Amino acid sequence: MKLKKYHNLPLDKFIDLSLYNKKFGYYMKKNPFGKKGDFITAPNISRLFSEMIAIWIIKFWQSLGSPKKFNLIELGAGNGEMMKIIIESFQNFPSFLECCNFVIFEKSPTLIKIQKKKLGKNKIVWISEIKKIKKNPAIFIGNEFFDAIPIKQFKRKKGIWFENYVNLENFDKAFFFEKEINIKDIEKKIDFKISQNQNFIEYSELGLNYLRNICNIIKNNTGGLLLIDYGYTEKKMKNTLQAISNHKFANILEEIGNTDITHNINFNLYKKFTKKIGGLDVDITTQKNFLNNMGIKHRAEIISKNQNFFKKADIYYRLKRLIDEKQMGNLFKVMLIKNKKNKFKLGF
């Protein structure tokens, strides 16, 4: 396939093309979730995960003073499984449920159709721009949201910065190359000194823009962001770019539009960026610690009572995938951003 207008693209534009192009973009044409897809997310491993998130949301809402109206916004709802279980869990708290406006921020028409089919009976508003959120206290939740947003990459060689590009003159023979850039122009654009103490930079311009908008909504209307994603907390950035196909690593430049392209979140960068905005606190822990602190093991004990051996084994096998240090337990981090005045610490 030859598309002349796509000749030379910075890495983030290439990823955007691969994932979100209306004709052949990965997220625009298929459901990548579950056994038949390319990966399985925590809500699809065990409903316990979403139940813990639901409990956390209710407790956090109480920390905001139990507002009569608030927005619960899921960032990128995947196949709708997490929101489905959250709403089911809320049925036990009718007075809380009355206060909650459900919002899903989603850009993929294919995934919106899947979400609407799963969640159709519930009153949910779908939006494609974060700025369209109404002025109420806002609780944002995002599970594996930021890792799917296109990233840029830069390398410093002998004091000169270069940006990673992709040549797409021929889709079947795509290759990486580098272009010299002025890093100060990049830092001016994002209003953040991202090159400080770095020789390699990997970040999402769009991701930081989303983060800034969310932080401003939290500052102006009160609320918080609970973010769960795989990533690391080291200060030095590293190359984490990867492609996934059929639950296995794949070549990023092959099968363009048919593989998921993702990266690990640098939570230290997100923390520093949020702190610069001001007025907000940031807490970070591992998924293992968060779920254990929320009582997931106790919940597993309750639902496994009076179950046969095979059902019990399945519950604990799924639980292990979520909290085991060698599986998702340490690889995934949980980050909470909230107003400084709010001392809420549940899960952290």
Side-chain angles (χ1 to χ4, degrees), residues 27 144-149 229-230 260-265:
Y27 282 114
E144 293 197 51
F145 170 72
F146 281 94
D147 67 63
I149 302 173
D229 223 317
Y230 56 101
D260 180 37
I261 300 175
T262 182
H263 68 285
N264 287 10
I265 302 301

Side-chain angles (χ1 to χ4, degrees), residues 228-293:
I228 304 130
D229 223 317
Y230 56 101
Y232 61 103
T233 54
E234 289 91 342
K235 290 178 180 177
K236 287 282 185 184
M237 286 190 234
K238 52 191 176 184
N239 187 348
T240 68
L241 185 66
Q242 55 189 266
I244 307 287
S245 179
N246 197 24
H247 303 273
K248 294 175 183 175
F249 291 113
N251 189 319
I252 285 157
L253 299 179
E254 291 176 5
E255 293 292 319
I256 296 167
N258 293 317
T259 57
D260 180 37
I261 300 175
T262 182
H263 68 285
N264 287 10
I265 302 301
N266 183 323
F267 282 91
N268 185 61
L269 169 65
Y270 277 38
K271 185 175 183 175
K272 282 169 68 181
F273 188 82
T274 303
K275 290 280 188 182
K276 188 178 182 295
I277 292 169
L280 300 166
D281 265 345
V282 181
D283 291 296
I284 300 170
T285 189
T286 62
Q287 181 169 293
K288 174 193 171 183
N289 288 343
F290 177 81
L291 293 176
N292 282 341
N293 291 340

Side-chain angles (χ1 to χ4, degrees), residues 90-108:
F90 288 168
Q91 302 301 324
N92 299 315
F93 306 92
S95 58
F96 164 82
L97 193 56
E98 277 182 31
C99 302
C100 187
N101 298 323
F102 295 100
V103 181
I104 290 176
F105 172 72
E106 183 63 68
K107 288 206 161 185
S108 165

Side-chain angles (χ1 to χ4, degrees), residues 16 71 132 140-141 144 146 213 252 270 297 325 341:
D16 186 67
N71 297 321
K132 287 185 177 178
F140 292 87
I141 52 171
E144 293 197 51
F146 281 94
N213 288 336
I252 285 157
Y270 277 38
K297 287 179 182 175
E325 290 181 4
K341 289 179 183 177

Side-chain angles (χ1 to χ4, degrees), residues 33 35 37 70 110 123 190 195 206 249 308 310 326 336:
F33 304 97
K35 287 180 183 176
F70 79 99
T110 302
K123 285 186 178 177
I190 62 174
S195 67
L206 182 59
F249 291 113
N308 64 40
F310 295 105
K326 292 178 182 175
L336 169 61

Side-chain angles (χ1 to χ4, degrees), residues 110-306:
T110 302
L111 291 180
I112 289 170
K113 280 183 189 174
I114 292 165
Q115 291 159 14
K116 285 186 173 179
K117 192 175 179 182
K118 188 168 275 194
L119 301 163
K121 293 177 184 176
N122 301 290
K123 285 186 178 177
I124 298 171
V125 174
W126 273 264
I127 59 169
S128 58
E129 287 181 44
I130 286 174
K131 287 181 180 178
K132 287 185 177 178
I133 293 164
K134 291 178 182 176
K135 290 181 180 179
N136 290 318
I139 301 175
F140 292 87
I141 52 171
N143 180 61
E144 293 197 51
F145 170 72
F146 281 94
D147 67 63
I149 302 173
I151 52 167
K152 286 183 170 292
Q153 286 185 337
F154 305 92
K155 294 172 192 167
R156 180 157 62 180
K157 298 177 184 176
K158 296 178 181 178
I160 299 168
W161 282 96
F162 296 85
E163 182 169 2
N164 211 359
Y165 271 69
V166 177
N167 180 291
L168 273 179
E169 192 169 344
N170 186 331
F171 263 45
D172 299 322
K173 294 178 181 177
F175 60 88
F176 289 111
F177 70 100
E178 295 171 348
K179 265 191 183 181
E180 187 179 332
I181 55 100
N182 185 344
I183 199 68
K184 287 182 180 177
D185 292 341
I186 303 293
E187 292 178 332
K188 190 177 178 182
K189 191 174 182 181
I190 62 174
D191 190 28
F192 185 71
K193 199 165 173 53
I194 199 166
S195 67
Q196 195 169 19
N197 302 320
Q198 304 291 341
N199 290 314
F200 178 85
I201 296 170
E202 179 179 273
Y203 83 102
S204 170
E205 190 178 296
L206 182 59
L208 292 184
N209 197 30
Y210 284 150
L211 188 60
R212 182 185 278 114
N213 288 336
I214 290 166
C215 286
N216 286 331
I217 289 168
I218 292 168
K219 278 179 73 172
N220 296 332
N221 305 291
T222 197
L225 163 65
L226 185 73
L227 174 64
I228 304 130
D229 223 317
Y230 56 101
Y232 61 103
T233 54
E234 289 91 342
K235 290 178 180 177
K236 287 282 185 184
M237 286 190 234
K238 52 191 176 184
N239 187 348
T240 68
L241 185 66
Q242 55 189 266
I244 307 287
S245 179
N246 197 24
H247 303 273
K248 294 175 183 175
F249 291 113
N251 189 319
I252 285 157
L253 299 179
E254 291 176 5
E255 293 292 319
I256 296 167
N258 293 317
T259 57
D260 180 37
I261 300 175
T262 182
H263 68 285
N264 287 10
I265 302 301
N266 183 323
F267 282 91
N268 185 61
L269 169 65
Y270 277 38
K271 185 175 183 175
K272 282 169 68 181
F273 188 82
T274 303
K275 290 280 188 182
K276 188 178 182 295
I277 292 169
L280 300 166
D281 265 345
V282 181
D283 291 296
I284 300 170
T285 189
T286 62
Q287 181 169 293
K288 174 193 171 183
N289 288 343
F290 177 81
L291 293 176
N292 282 341
N293 291 340
M294 289 304 302
I296 196 168
K297 287 179 182 175
H298 181 60
R299 179 64 180 148
E301 284 172 18
I302 292 169
I303 65 167
S304 63
K305 274 183 183 175
N306 305 320

